[in-house]
Amino acid sequence: MSAHRRKTTTRRRPPSRRRRLVRTLLVTTCALAVMAGGGAWYLYRDLAAGIGSSKALEGAEKSKFGDTNILLIGLDSRRDQNGEELPQEVLDQLHAGSSDIGGYNANTLILLHVPGDGSRAKAFSVPRDDFVDIPGHGKDKIKKAYGLAKARKEEQLAAAGVKDSRELEREGREAGRAAQIATVRAFLGVPVDHFAELNLAGFYHLADALGGVPVCLNKAVKDRYSGADFPAGPQTLDGRQSLAFVRQRHGLDGGDLDRTKRQQAFLAGATKKLNSAGTFTDPVKLVKLINTAKQDVVTDRGWDLLAFVKQAKNLSGGRVQFTTLPVERFGRNLGEDINVVDDMKIKRLIAEQIGPKASASPGAPSAPASEPGAPGSAGSAGSAAGAREASPPPASSPSPATPKDGGGIPCVG
């Protein structure tokens, strides 16, 4: 028989054991990859469905040219999303006092502007005691817009016969969110495209979910009111320490204005940790982050929050410019300390920083700073609602971005 015939009639040998093993491993790997992809999809759906969603921005004007303005609201509330008191052991960890303290003040207000062209993002901190127009209420501290609208809505519903406490809480908070957003929008003169609301416990849980948040201090601090007790230099804070860090104002040279820098530093540190800790490739960390968001975060309905957080790498490593909006001087109103501000000056500052393409008509503008009797008017000895000037005044220009350490985390006082 010729060699050619022998070649064509030789039977194939069955695959070796080694080859079968390799093929089995490849098939198994592909199957696991598909299952992992499916798991990620279900986790995504769980996140989207589980985070508290709000209708407070329905029908609101949006930014143009792909820009996005996000309002971050930190509530000084010792209650959960249903209005129930936080457990005492949680309050003890938070060093935050009883659930009757704080009410529903928005003690953290940061407008994050993300340009559509991918250029550097900018974050503007609004000091909580800025004395501004609150639509439907008159002039008051900007932080009060949420609580005032919430209380008014609950009174209206109760008068109409609504008795269910959870319904009252839910509808009251929706009114509070809408009022707080409207107040900031009118004050700054730009649209708000999305918002995220976080309560006090949220800072605690977020830091723990991330395995700690890196911060940097220029000097050591110790404050019995907030529980802050930190050495100087770079360090990583757990949940309890993080809350104390963002709440401290006693013992700081600038008081509340320096606290806004702490909030900026926490945001920068949390973003950096989110992108460096492998959160989106570690299922355990991702589930922990999801559970934290479901427990403590409320956002506007329809916002793809997970997709945005995945893009947060563009906001870390010093790619966010932080600014604290300027205060003209301190004052008093009905026995309370206030920040006297020039609202038209602030609108101009925001327009210059963000650019005219992203600006929108402010709608119902705040009263001009030159209005007779207003706390921002030149030479006024007093003002409407009993506001009066106090000294010493803070710097009248916006605070520049704080210096950074080698790791790109802002160092604060």
Side-chain angles (χ1 to χ4, degrees):
M1 185 180 289
S2 67
H4 176 74
R5 183 166 180 78
R6 285 198 304 269
K7 183 177 179 180
T8 56
T9 58
T10 300
R11 293 183 178 180
R12 287 185 179 177
R13 293 180 180 179
S16 67
R17 184 177 180 181
R18 184 175 181 180
R19 290 175 62 192
R20 288 198 305 268
L21 179 59
V22 170
R23 186 170 63 184
T24 302
L25 287 175
L26 286 173
V27 172
T28 303
T29 301
C30 291
L32 288 174
V34 171
M35 291 172 64
W41 170 246
Y42 280 113
L43 283 175
Y44 169 80
R45 290 183 62 186
D46 183 52
L47 176 63
I51 293 180
S53 60
S54 166
K55 298 184 291 183
L57 275 175
E58 285 189 355
E61 182 181 3
K62 300 295 183 181
S63 296
K64 299 177 181 178
F65 308 104
D67 292 354
T68 304
N69 292 332
I70 302 163
L71 181 62
L72 307 177
I73 303 173
L75 279 188
D76 191 28
S77 172
R78 279 74 166 167
R79 296 178 181 270
D80 64 18
Q81 293 184 21
N82 296 316
E84 303 293 337
E85 295 183 0
L86 296 174
Q88 188 58 48
E89 58 269 22
V90 175
L91 291 174
D92 291 341
Q93 285 291 317
L94 299 183
H95 205 278
S98 75
S99 60
D100 294 326
I101 300 174
Y104 287 89
N105 288 331
N107 277 356
T108 302
L109 291 168
I110 299 177
L111 184 79
L112 177 64
H113 173 73
V114 184
D117 60 8
S119 58
R120 192 180 189 188
K122 298 180 180 180
F124 303 91
S125 288
V126 184
R128 64 176 188 166
D129 290 339
D130 283 3
F131 196 61
V132 304
D133 278 331
I134 298 177
H137 174 74
K139 276 189 172 291
D140 213 325
K141 295 182 181 182
I142 195 167
K143 70 177 182 181
K144 289 186 177 183
Y146 193 114
L148 289 169
K150 178 180 182 295
R152 182 166 57 246
K153 182 65 174 181
E154 290 177 356
E155 290 173 359
Q156 293 171 350
L157 291 173
V162 177
K163 298 180 179 179
D164 182 77
S165 60
R166 290 204 169 191
E167 181 180 354
L168 290 171
E169 182 73 13
R170 181 177 64 253
E171 296 301 322
R173 286 201 176 193
E174 281 289 82
R177 291 164 191 140
Q180 191 67 66
I181 293 168
T183 301
V184 172
R185 186 169 54 222
F187 181 46
L188 303 185
V190 293
V192 174
D193 303 288
H194 299 294
F195 82 92
E197 173 190 305
L198 193 70
N199 61 18
L200 275 181
F203 288 97
Y204 176 90
H205 293 138
L206 176 61
D208 277 355
L210 292 173
V213 172
V215 300
C216 177
L217 284 171
N218 289 321
K219 59 183 180 181
V221 296
K222 188 169 185 178
D223 172 40
R224 67 183 181 88
Y225 295 99
S226 65
D229 187 0
F230 310 121
Q235 53 206 286
T236 298
L237 307 183
D238 62 20
R240 180 186 59 81
Q241 293 170 324
S242 293
L243 185 63
F245 178 79
V246 299
R247 292 184 65 240
Q248 184 186 2
R249 62 188 176 95
H250 297 281
L252 302 179
D253 294 340
D256 263 353
L257 299 183
D258 277 351
R259 176 157 70 169
T260 64
K261 296 178 182 178
R262 298 292 186 90
Q263 296 164 358
Q264 296 166 359
F266 177 87
L267 179 61
T271 303
K272 180 178 178 64
K273 187 64 178 287
L274 184 68
N275 288 294
S276 64
T279 302
F280 296 105
T281 58
D282 186 328
V284 175
K285 290 181 179 179
L286 182 57
V287 169
K288 195 170 185 179
L289 183 64
I290 287 172
N291 288 334
T292 297
K294 288 164 64 176
Q295 183 177 359
D296 301 311
V297 179
V298 175
T299 68
D300 54 288
R301 184 172 296 177
W303 185 18
D304 192 341
L305 184 60
L306 184 59
F308 174 78
V309 173
K310 282 185 176 181
Q311 297 168 359
K313 60 180 180 293
N314 297 323
L315 307 180
S316 61
R319 284 186 54 81
V320 179
Q321 176 184 326
F322 288 97
T323 300
T324 300
L325 295 180
V327 171
E328 299 302 305
R329 60 184 180 275
F330 297 124
R332 299 278 291 177
N333 178 63
L334 300 179
E336 294 183 332
D337 294 328
I338 62 170
N339 299 331
V340 180
V341 294
D342 184 337
D343 47 353
M344 298 308 296
K345 175 181 177 180
I346 287 174
K347 284 184 176 67
R348 288 194 299 270
L349 183 151
I350 294 291
E352 291 168 0
Q353 291 287 321
I354 290 179
K357 68 176 185 179
S359 299
S361 59
S366 302
S370 60
E371 179 182 339
S377 58
S380 62
S383 72
R388 62 182 178 82
E389 185 177 347
S391 60
S396 59
S397 58
S399 66
T402 52
K404 296 175 174 59
D405 68 9
I409 301 298
C411 286
V412 295

